[in-house]
Amino acid sequence: MVENPSVTDERNGSAITEDEAALYDRQIRLWGLDAQKRLRASCVLLVGIKGLGAEICKNLVLSGVKSVTIVDPNPVNEQDFVSQFLVQRQDIGKNIHINDICHDNGVKFFAADVFGFYGYMFADLGEHKFVEEEPKIIEASDNESSRSDGEPKAKYRKVDVNETTIVQKFAEFYRLKAALACKLDNRTEKILKRLPSVYFMIKVILRFQSQYGRLPQTTMNTGERDNLLTLRDEVMKELNLDVTLLPDEFASHCTAEVSPICAIVGGIVGQEVVKAVSGKDAPLNNFFFYNGLEGHGTVECFN
């Protein structure tokens, strides 16, 4: 536990003030003073401020980051009022290449979106170092080294759950473009067959957006639903997979941004940004998928 953090630690920049220590007391106790200092020195660029973006923005501001810059080229529309809380009615009408730039320049990158009852997050932290607390391993004493069974004492190491040690670890991440491209081979096909249906839905939605210049509309008609199913069939055929891996029901539940789904996915993204900035705890590598119809999320590493 850190005592009087405003004056005991001058590392990682200026000292945390007493007001900040009181405001972020729970966080400092959770992940430490150094992590909180890295947060307060971090600047975040948030691209897209619809329902999910609003939840992520809220979580990052509450965590104590230095600044959040918001970029969104799309005008405010009626759907924004049912999915987020940062715009007012008088704001109506106002106003993946980024991943490559970030990866090449060592900038940590997150992509996320919500489509109706489905959502996802993708993380590319490049070559990321982080620390974790692990139970302390207690070596067997010399008088324990001689055993009747002849086994070496290392096999009898003990784990003390009451003591922990800080261990530095390393993780390497994949680019979003490569993760979605799916260069098909025997290894990739096995990975694809175990992926959740949300992964395939993302590919279908992106193809729909590319072909029609927009996302599927909330007021969906039979023709729009048929277009989604046709694109689903195309995507699954290209991947040499059975269409049943993405059931027909997705086409009726993948429009707009449902507020509870935004809150869940936004909470995960906010948590992962905090972990990436603070360098504390293992990050999710590299996809998080959420299926609101089934009520569960899945972490998958696609590389």
Side-chain angles (χ1 to χ4, degrees):
M1 178 168 44
V2 177
E3 297 182 359
N4 195 9
S6 62
V7 296
T8 57
D9 195 332
E10 292 293 335
R11 294 171 296 175
N12 295 326
S14 59
I16 297 287
T17 66
E18 291 185 4
D19 287 342
E20 288 176 302
L23 179 62
Y24 301 117
D25 176 71
R26 181 175 176 274
Q27 296 178 183
I28 293 173
R29 294 173 187 273
L30 178 63
W31 53 58
L33 181 60
D34 281 352
Q36 189 63 44
K37 284 190 172 185
R38 284 191 285 272
L39 280 169
R40 80 196 290 262
S42 298
C43 300
V44 177
L45 172 65
L46 178 61
V47 181
I49 195 63
K50 291 187 180 295
L52 179 58
E55 290 290 342
I56 296 170
C57 180
K58 175 198 71 177
N59 292 328
L60 294 180
V61 170
L62 291 176
S63 75
V65 296
K66 180 180 179 181
S67 69
V68 177
T69 301
I70 299 171
V71 176
D72 192 333
N74 299 309
V76 177
N77 57 43
E78 289 287 343
Q79 290 188 16
D80 290 324
F81 299 111
V82 298
S83 64
Q84 67 142 301
F85 46 82
L86 293 180
V87 295
Q88 303 178 37
R89 292 212 168 262
Q90 56 263 37
D91 294 326
I92 289 181
K94 297 179 181 178
N95 177 294
I96 295 177
H97 171 64
I98 294 176
N99 183 201
D100 291 332
I101 296 173
C102 291
H103 191 98
D104 292 339
N105 290 277
V107 177
K108 302 183 189 305
F109 170 85
F110 291 85
D113 211 338
V114 166
F115 307 106
F117 287 86
Y118 310 97
Y120 83 97
M121 179 205 76
F122 176 85
D124 175 7
L125 308 185
E127 297 180 349
H128 180 63
K129 293 181 180 178
F130 61 96
V131 296
E132 278 190 304
E133 287 189 30
E134 294 185 351
K136 190 172 183 179
I137 305 296
I138 302 175
E139 297 284 353
S141 60
D142 291 339
N143 58 7
E144 292 178 309
S145 61
S146 298
R147 305 184 63 94
S148 58
D149 57 12
E151 293 288 351
K153 67 177 182 179
K155 189 168 182 175
Y156 294 93
R157 291 175 176 171
K158 299 177 183 178
V159 176
D160 186 346
V161 295
N162 297 315
E163 285 193 60
T164 60
T165 182
I166 302 297
V167 179
Q168 187 173 65
K169 296 185 177 181
F170 174 83
E172 190 167 3
F173 285 73
Y174 212 54
R175 301 190 191 205
L176 178 60
K177 182 178 178 180
L180 290 174
C182 291
K183 186 177 181 181
L184 198 60
D185 52 33
N186 291 335
R187 173 180 170 276
T188 307
E189 189 171 349
K190 291 179 181 178
I191 294 174
L192 289 172
K193 286 181 178 179
R194 65 171 172 77
L195 287 177
S197 60
V198 181
Y199 173 82
F200 307 113
M201 188 214 65
I202 293 169
K203 292 178 70 66
V204 173
I205 294 292
L206 290 177
R207 182 165 297 191
F208 183 99
Q209 188 174 27
S210 175
Q211 185 165 324
Y212 296 99
R214 59 176 175 80
L215 293 172
Q217 300 301 300
T218 307
T219 55
M220 182 179 291
N221 54 38
T222 303
E224 186 118 316
R225 185 176 184 276
D226 289 343
N227 289 338
L228 281 168
L229 294 177
T230 298
L231 293 176
R232 184 275 312 267
D233 294 347
E234 291 178 5
V235 168
M236 301 307 277
K237 183 178 180 180
E238 290 171 7
L239 296 175
N240 196 30
L241 297 175
D242 195 311
V243 295
T244 58
L245 289 174
L246 181 58
D248 291 2
E249 65 178 6
F250 93 92
S252 302
H253 300 95
C254 65
T255 60
E257 292 183 300
V258 179
S259 294
I261 309 302
C262 291
I264 292 169
V265 178
I268 294 294
V269 177
Q271 161 196 293
E272 290 305 303
V273 172
V274 168
K275 285 159 62 175
V277 170
S278 66
K280 185 78 179 293
D281 296 328
L284 298 184
N285 187 356
N286 43 22
F287 272 112
F288 168 77
F289 300 106
Y290 186 74
N291 187 325
L293 295 179
E294 298 178 1
H296 68 77
T298 307
V299 178
E300 294 287 347
C301 183
F302 196 101
N303 56 33

